[in-house]
Structure formats: C-alpha cells, structure tokens
C-alpha cells in the first residue's frame, strides 16, 4: 500500500491551491482584456462574473459576451 507522509500531502495541497489561484487569475485577466476589444458590454462586469464563477463565467462570456 502506498502511503504519503503528511508533510508531502501538505505540499501537494499547497501546490494545487497555488495552481488553482494562478488559473483563476489568468481567466479573469483574459476575460477582461478580451472583453475590452470584443464585447459591447463593459469589460469590468465580465471580469466580475469571471471572478465570482471562473469556469461558468468563462463559458458565459464565450457564449454571450463576444460579438
């Protein structure tokens, strides 16, 4: 049976959280910058939607927000 020491599990959880945070911020920044050039609605509103619900906000922006 494979066992993982608690210290390694904590490091894995930290790295997962860090990667999740980076992906979340990347989605927000991409939606904001793309909405500035390709959307009729205000870009900051799409950034707020992406902040509150990153994956759902991205899908909604791609379906509804772009010209």
């Amino acid at each position: 049976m494979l066992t993982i020491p608690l210290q390694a599990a904590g490091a894995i959880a930290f790295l997962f959280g860090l990667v999740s945070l980076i992906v979340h911020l990347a989605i927000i920044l991409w939606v904001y910058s793309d909405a500035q050039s390709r959307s009729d609605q205000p870009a900051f509103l799409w950034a707020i939607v992406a902040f509150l619900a990153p994956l759902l906000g991205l899908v909604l922006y791609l379906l509804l927000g772009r010209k």
Side-chain angles (χ1 to χ4, degrees):
M1 179 178 220
L2 178 66
T3 59
I4 299 175
L6 289 177
Q7 292 171 340
I12 291 169
F14 173 76
L15 288 175
F16 180 75
L18 185 62
V19 168
S20 297
L21 177 66
I22 291 170
V23 168
H24 190 162
L25 290 174
I27 288 172
I28 294 168
L29 290 173
W30 182 83
V31 166
Y32 179 77
S33 64
D34 194 65
Q36 282 183 323
S37 61
R38 295 185 185 217
S39 179
D40 294 333
Q41 295 95 8
F44 73 93
L45 291 178
W46 281 114
I48 290 171
V49 170
F51 172 76
L52 295 175
L55 295 177
L56 179 62
L58 177 62
V59 170
L60 287 174
Y61 171 68
L62 291 173
L63 293 175
L64 304 172
R66 298 174 105 183
K67 292 182 193 174

